[in-house]
Structures are given as C-alpha cells and as structure tokens.
Amino acid sequence: MVYYFMSTTVDPAAVLYVGKDKFEKPQQFHADNLSSAHVYLRLKPGQEWDSIPVALVEDCAQLTKANSIEGNKKDNVTVIYTPWSNLFKNASMATGQVSFKDHKKTRTILIPTRQNPIINRLMKTRTVSSADELFADKENHLSELRAKAREKAKEARKEEERLAKERREEKYRREHAYEDLMKGDDEGDGGGKRSNQDGWDEDDFM
C-alpha cells in the first residue's frame, strides 16, 4: 500500500508518497543509516530537486523520521534526499537498501526532534491507495509530461519555421534591392524622356 499526504507549505499543495514498508516505492527521502519508510516527492514542472522550498523539505524529512521505528524515537536524525534517477541498487543489496550513482547529487537535512504540529497536519491529509494505483498515477503523470513536451517541441518548430521564413525574405530583399532600384530608375527615365518624335529640337536646350 501507498500513503498519500498533502503538504500545504507550498501553493499549490505538494503531494508526498510514503511506502507502507521498505518493499514499496523507491524514495527520494530516507533516514540515513536507519531503517525507514521511503518518502517520495513529485516535483512540479520546471522545479529543480535542489531548490525545493525549505518548509517542504522539512515536511518530507519529518514524515521520513516519523515513519522510522528507530528514528522516530531518536533526536538529531539526518535525512538524505536525492533525485529518484540518482538512486543505485543491485542484486547484492538488501531489500530497501539503496546507494547513489553520484554522491554529489544528494542533500541532507538534520531533524533535531519530531515536530508533532507538522506530523499532525500531514496526517489529516492522509489517504491510502494500492501500489497499482500509484503506478497508474505515475504513468498518467508521465503521459501528461510527454504530451506537454511534444506540444512545446511543436511550438518551437513553428517558431523556428517563422524565423527561417523571415530570414529568407530578408535575404531576398537584400539580394534584389539593387535590381529593384535600377528597375525603378528605368521606369522613371522612360516616362519622362522625349525624342524628336515628341517634337523637341536643339532650341529646347537654349
């Protein structure tokens, strides 16, 4: 099972996921050197993992501490968080144990004590779903992201086509500017020139 929580420290509220035990969802937040449930935060579009608001990080960390049997009883618990894509696991690791592909892509937060007001606020928003529902929710979310990416790429292509057309038109104007000028001069001379047939003679120059 998967527990859903809503953190109202940001607007719109952020969704936190907590696996019922360490066999559940891969985490973004977990207690360092302690067995704990894994807490996952879905970032908003365009949001970077290392610029999550401090209050939201604390909500995730407090929830991580509270869902660790050992950590919940301790003070000064360190919680590590990292992008999901940075997690590393192989067959030799115990269930729930993970490492990191790049340790530079991790951050830590120290939780001195459990903050009951934070935990109580989060608990009031808790709902329960199956792992299958979480998987379906994830797939829907990824589908939406792919659709937005396609639309963004389509808009980028249209803009590039517009700019390319402008460049072609500007190039044509530059290349034909002299021809158009000469054509205009020729038309002007032809319209005002008189010959003997028009009835002029040398006296016209006197």
Side-chain angles (χ1 to χ4, degrees):
M1 300 298 291
V2 178
Y3 296 125
Y4 286 63
F5 298 85
M6 302 294 291
S7 173
T8 56
T9 58
V10 292
D11 185 20
V15 180
L16 314 182
Y17 308 83
V18 181
K20 186 175 181 181
D21 54 42
K22 60 186 180 182
F23 290 85
E24 291 283 0
K25 188 82 174 69
Q27 85 284 8
Q28 185 173 17
F29 289 77
H30 73 276
D32 189 24
N33 296 321
L34 295 173
S35 177
S36 71
H38 298 154
V39 176
Y40 171 76
L41 167 67
R42 175 181 291 169
L43 299 179
K44 302 296 183 182
Q47 186 178 26
E48 297 296 333
W49 75 273
D50 55 354
S51 61
I52 303 171
V54 175
L56 180 54
V57 171
E58 185 170 4
D59 269 14
C60 294
Q62 284 285 344
L63 199 57
T64 302
K65 173 177 165 34
N67 281 276
S68 169
I69 296 176
E70 185 179 358
N72 190 41
K73 302 173 183 177
K74 288 186 173 183
D75 292 336
N76 298 317
V77 172
T78 297
V79 173
I80 301 177
Y81 60 102
T82 188
W84 178 82
S85 59
N86 191 44
L87 295 176
F88 172 77
K89 183 174 179 61
N90 59 36
S92 66
M93 293 180 174
T95 301
Q97 181 184 4
V98 294
S99 185
F100 309 107
K101 299 174 184 177
D102 184 353
H103 285 269
K104 293 180 180 179
K105 291 184 178 180
T106 63
R107 296 289 184 274
T108 61
I109 178 175
L110 178 65
I111 301 300
T113 59
R114 171 184 168 122
Q115 294 294 320
N116 286 324
I118 293 178
I119 299 303
N120 292 339
R121 168 169 52 80
L122 292 172
M123 290 299 292
K124 290 178 181 178
T125 69
R126 188 181 76 169
T127 57
V128 182
S129 297
S130 67
D132 289 340
E133 288 175 304
L134 178 61
F135 178 78
D137 181 59
K138 175 187 174 183
E139 289 303 307
N140 290 335
H141 176 65
L142 292 177
S143 178
E144 290 176 2
L145 292 180
R146 287 191 292 267
K148 290 179 180 179
R150 287 194 298 270
E151 184 62 26
K152 187 175 180 179
K154 180 180 178 181
E155 292 298 323
R157 286 195 300 271
K158 289 175 61 177
E159 179 64 11
E160 180 58 32
E161 290 173 359
R162 184 186 68 80
L163 293 175
K165 181 181 179 181
E166 288 184 356
R167 289 192 291 267
R168 289 194 300 270
E169 292 175 347
E170 179 61 25
K171 180 180 178 182
Y172 179 88
R173 285 193 294 269
R174 289 197 305 269
E175 293 176 347
H176 294 80
Y178 181 75
E179 295 178 8
D180 292 341
L181 177 62
M182 294 304 297
K183 182 179 179 181
D185 289 343
D186 290 344
E187 291 176 352
D189 292 342
K193 184 184 293 184
R194 293 186 300 164
S195 66
N196 283 333
Q197 294 177 348
D198 296 323
W200 62 270
D201 55 31
E202 293 179 356
D203 291 338
D204 290 336
F205 290 95
M206 301 301 292

